[in-house]
Amino acid sequence: RDVDRLAREGDIDWSRLDSVIEDLLVDGTRRILGPSSRALFESWIQLVRSSYSQLVLDVPLDAVERDQVLPVLLEDFFAPCAAQLLVQLQAERPGPDLARLLDAERAPLASVFDWLDEKLGGQFDKCIYPGTTDKAKSSRDKLGKWRNGVDLPSGQSLKLLLDDLRAEPKGREHAETAAVWLLAARA
C-alpha cells in the first residue's frame, strides 16, 4: 500500500519518486549487497529514472487511465529495462544462465541455487547447513520452499543466507556474485 500511495503522490510531486527510488531500490540493495550495490545498480537506476521521466513528460497521457497505461509501460518500457540490467549483471558478475533464470516453468531462485550447486560441487544448502539440528533442517526446508517457488525470501532472509554462505569456506568465493543473483531472482 505504501508503494502504491507513494507512486500516486509521485505523479504530482516528482521529488517523491526520487525518495521512493532511494528508499526502496538503492537502500534495499545496499542492505543486502553492501558497497558493491552502488557500482552495480546506481547507473542503471538513474538511467531508468531519467528515461521514465522523459517518457512520461513527452507522451501526453491525459485521456488514459492508470490501469490502461500500466500494461503498456510494463511490456514496452520496464521489461526492456530489466532485460538490460540482467545482461549488464551477467557481464559484470557472471552467474546463472539467463534463459534458465527467466524460464516461466521454474522459480527464478531455483536457477541461482542450481548455479550455486554447480559452483560448490553439490547441494549448496547441505554445504552451508550440514547438520541435523532443528536450525539446519529448518534452514534447508526454507531454502527448499524458495527453490520450488512456494515462498519468496524477504530481504532480511537473503541477508542471513548470504552471511551463512560467506561464513562457509567453500561458499565464500561465490557469495558476492550469489548475492547479486539472489536479489535479481527475488525481484
Side-chain angles (χ1 to χ4, degrees), residues 25-26 29 33 36-48 77-96 98 101-102 179-187:
L25 296 176
V26 175
T29 58
L33 300 178
S36 66
S37 69
R38 191 162 294 283
L40 291 169
F41 290 100
E42 185 175 325
S43 63
W44 177 80
I45 289 171
Q46 292 307 318
L47 177 66
V48 171
F77 181 77
F78 290 112
C81 289
Q84 176 194 18
L85 175 64
L86 292 176
V87 169
Q88 174 187 326
L89 291 176
Q90 190 67 279
E92 293 180 27
R93 297 272 177 101
L98 291 181
L101 184 77
L102 297 172
V180 170
W181 289 105
L182 287 168
L183 187 62
R186 166 59 173 96

Side-chain angles (χ1 to χ4, degrees), residues 69-84:
V69 124
L70 186 58
V72 174
L73 282 173
L74 286 173
E75 187 173 321
D76 295 330
F77 181 77
F78 290 112
C81 289
Q84 176 194 18

Side-chain angles (χ1 to χ4, degrees), residues 6 14 19 24 60 64 70 75 84 94 113 119 124 132 135 137 152 165 178 182:
L6 289 170
W14 282 81
S19 69
L24 296 178
V64 183
L70 186 58
E75 187 173 321
Q84 176 194 18
F113 291 168
K119 293 296 180 186
F124 92 95
T132 57
K135 182 185 183 308
K137 183 179 178 339
L152 285 175
L165 188 61
L182 287 168

Side-chain angles (χ1 to χ4, degrees), residues 7 24 45 51 57 59 62 66 78 90 99 123 136 140 153 166 169 178:
L24 296 178
I45 289 171
S51 298
L57 292 173
V59 177
D62 297 346
R66 177 184 289 267
F78 290 112
Q90 190 67 279
Q123 281 195 302
R140 285 194 308 269
R166 289 176 181 117

Side-chain angles (χ1 to χ4, degrees), residues 168-182:
E168 172 60 38
K170 286 175 68 177
R172 192 172 298 130
E173 175 185 348
H174 306 290
E176 300 314 312
T177 299
V180 170
W181 289 105
L182 287 168

Side-chain angles (χ1 to χ4, degrees), residues 12-27:
I12 298 163
D13 181 1
W14 282 81
S15 66
R16 291 285 193 168
L17 183 60
D18 292 330
S19 69
V20 169
I21 289 170
E22 186 68 29
D23 293 346
L24 296 178
L25 296 176
V26 175
D27 288 346

